[in-house]
Amino acid sequence: MMTTAAGRWDRLIRNVHLATFTGDQEYGQLRHGAVALVADRIAWVGRETDLPAEFDCDEQIDGQGQWLLPGFIDCHTHLVFAGNRADEFAMRLAGASYEEIARAGGGIASTVAATRAASVDQLVAAARPRLAALMAEGVTGIEVKSGYGLSLEAERQMLLAATQLRDEFGISMQRTFLGAHALPPEYQGDADGYIDYLCLEVLPALAAEGLVDAVDGFCESIAFSPEQIRRVFEAARALDLPVKLHAEQLSNQHGSALVASFDGLSADHLEYLDGDGIAAMANAGTTAVLLPGAYYFLKETKQPPLAQLRQEQVAIALASDANPGSSPIFSLLLMLNLACTLWGMTPAEALAGITRNGAKALGWQGRCGTIEVGKRADLLLWPIDTPAQLAYQVGALRPSQIWIGGELRKDRL
Ligand code: NIG
Ligand code: FE
């Protein structure tokens, strides 16, 4: 932890308490700490009293006793889409279920129609305030899925929009191909034909254009079978792309074991996950991404098997699942509160879920998610008394400073 890098530092953030999310302490906390940056990296971490007697540093920042945390990672979002589904919300309040609405041609299909009709510029304009809201709360790394296009051209538009947002906001982004999200109208009755189209045409073309960083699917009775998802994963493997899966959200289809068998990054949702799925994930090191926003918004009552995940030491991440149907919620901080209130996660577990384990869910564990020497200097300064306050308080919480890749960004958000 206390590594002294010889030479010059660009910045030194001092007089802060650190939540490093490393080691055994709760939050990996180190009180009265300091962090030095060189370019976009963390170069020194330790106690203020262990700073070298002499050092050369361009800028010193007084943290005034605030808490310094790693930048937050939202590892599961559907941030790019057109339209909204407020009408379906009303239908659900009147008694219709998410599944009934989907089977009746609403749900994902209605967002697909709106998204197909939008230009890249319109998709970017619609997603811009969503991304700005997440980043204003401290998100410095994000995953963004396609999956509302469901054709080569419309999926490309979504991934181009995501890429444009990544570059405009200077955020770390994993762009995930989610062609196997729903069956588009032109393939009704021919799910296998659609999977062929994805595997043989769409995914190879988009990967060749450099628009895809990972591959996801929706394994569910209202979406695709494990056998169909397996074919998507085989196509991903042939292109050397990592995989993840929407699994066991509405029923147990054994998708988690499937994604684990492909050394998947994560299995996500997981309310209906069973012991075999947990064992497979533990073996493969596949992260469990829990999505309390969708659980809450769909009024789900079956809780994900938190106790068994803990027992098997499966890394647990939390994400917003920001999307127009099941989680129209653009706040990662709210997810902390929901996970603690609804499921009994501890604030420390919840915060690890959007830092260290959020990074792991994206395969980014070597690059960000903790405060450690060599990691990217994605850092948040919070005016709080204890990190638990971030899970406890809803609203009126903002970082006082945000560094992304060593650059102070608060002013630009
Ligand atoms: O993660 N489960 C499937 N996909 C999204 C919902 C998408 C939608 O309803 O538009 C989810 O919950
Ligand atoms: Fe999702």
Side-chain angles (χ1 to χ4, degrees):
M1 163 86 66
M2 279 167 259
T3 307
T4 308
R8 235 193 91 257
W9 296 331
D10 293 331
R11 290 183 183 84
L12 178 67
I13 307 169
R14 58 193 307 173
N15 191 17
V16 284
H17 301 305
L18 306 178
T20 65
F21 296 94
T22 65
D24 299 330
Q25 291 288 322
E26 193 172 50
Y27 309 111
Q29 63 183 284
L30 187 69
R31 287 177 176 266
H32 307 290
V35 173
L37 315 182
V38 172
D40 63 346
R41 303 278 141 181
I42 296 172
W44 188 94
V45 180
R47 284 183 204 287
E48 179 113 29
T49 49
D50 291 325
L51 278 166
E54 284 181 33
F55 53 84
D56 178 9
C57 181
D58 291 349
E59 184 192 4
Q60 294 199 39
I61 298 139
D62 180 1
Q64 300 177 325
Q66 299 178 72
W67 280 84
L68 193 71
L69 273 76
F72 295 157
I73 315 286
D74 195 349
C75 66
H76 180 143
T77 85
H78 309 249
L79 206 70
V80 174
F81 60 86
N84 72 77
R85 308 228 296 269
D87 51 345
E88 279 176 25
F89 179 51
M91 283 164 72
R92 283 200 303 109
L93 291 173
S97 74
Y98 182 72
E99 271 170 287
E100 282 162 3
I101 291 169
R103 288 191 194 282
I108 294 172
S110 74
T111 300
V112 170
T115 302
R116 284 180 167 186
S119 66
V120 173
D121 283 349
Q122 287 169 331
L123 292 174
V124 168
R128 196 177 274 125
R130 302 172 194 143
L131 183 54
L134 289 169
M135 290 181 76
E137 282 188 349
V139 172
T140 60
I142 194 165
E143 190 256 18
V144 176
K145 302 176 193 296
S146 71
Y148 292 121
L150 313 184
S151 70
L152 175 57
E153 193 43 45
E155 289 287 295
R156 179 190 284 123
Q157 304 258 105
M158 288 190 71
L159 292 166
L160 285 170
T163 306
Q164 204 170 305
L165 289 160
R166 179 194 69 186
D167 296 343
E168 180 181 325
F169 283 81
I171 189 172
S172 297
M173 183 183 288
Q174 181 171 86
R175 299 158 305 168
T176 299
F177 175 67
L178 178 56
H181 193 195
L183 199 58
E186 60 277 16
Y187 276 94
Q188 275 320 313
D190 186 17
D192 285 317
Y194 178 62
I195 295 291
D196 281 342
Y197 167 62
L198 291 182
C199 296
L200 299 174
E201 275 184 57
V202 184
L203 178 56
L206 296 175
E209 290 173 43
L211 291 171
V212 180
D213 305 313
V215 173
D216 193 356
F218 187 16
C219 187
E220 193 54 68
S221 58
I222 57 167
F224 297 98
S225 70
E227 262 324 299
Q228 290 162 343
I229 296 293
R230 175 186 297 281
R231 288 168 53 213
V232 174
F233 285 176
E234 277 162 0
R237 181 184 271 167
L239 295 164
D240 229 4
L241 291 168
V243 298
K244 59 181 80 179
L245 191 62
H246 286 71
E248 329 329 346
Q249 180 187 7
L250 307 170
S251 63
N252 184 9
Q253 305 281 324
H254 309 286
S256 306
L258 174 65
V259 70
S261 76
F262 279 80
D263 293 318
L265 292 173
S266 68
D268 303 34
H269 285 287
L270 303 179
E271 281 85 342
Y272 290 82
L273 178 63
D274 66 8
D276 290 347
I278 295 171
M281 290 173 67
N283 265 327
T286 298
T287 299
V289 176
L290 304 184
L291 303 168
Y295 174 94
Y296 156 77
F297 194 73
L298 298 180
K299 297 216 275 186
E300 180 59 67
T301 52
K302 182 144 173 55
Q303 300 199 4
L306 187 59
Q308 296 91 314
L309 287 167
R310 283 178 180 139
Q311 198 176 334
E312 299 301 322
Q313 297 183 355
V314 174
I316 300 171
L318 293 176
S320 69
D321 195 14
N323 78 68
S326 62
S327 186
I329 307 179
F330 305 94
S331 169
L332 196 54
L333 284 181
L334 180 57
M335 299 303 136
L336 302 177
N337 183 271
L338 290 177
C340 295
T341 307
L342 298 174
W343 300 334
M345 283 180 77
T346 67
E349 283 176 323
L351 276 163
I354 63 167
T355 53
R356 186 183 64 236
N357 293 341
K360 182 168 186 290
L362 299 179
W364 289 355
Q365 58 271 28
R367 141 186 191 165
C368 59
T370 60
I371 299 182
E372 278 177 287
V373 170
K375 292 278 174 86
R376 252 175 77 89
D378 293 345
L379 297 164
L380 312 172
L381 191 64
W382 285 96
I384 50 177
D385 301 319
T386 160
Q389 198 178 335
L390 297 171
Y392 147 86
Q393 181 176 327
V394 178
L397 273 175
R398 287 285 180 275
S400 51
Q401 305 282 13
I402 299 172
W403 290 268
I404 298 185
E407 243 186 79
L408 190 61
R409 285 292 305 273
K410 183 69 167 63
D411 49 339
R412 292 169 60 191
L413 296 176

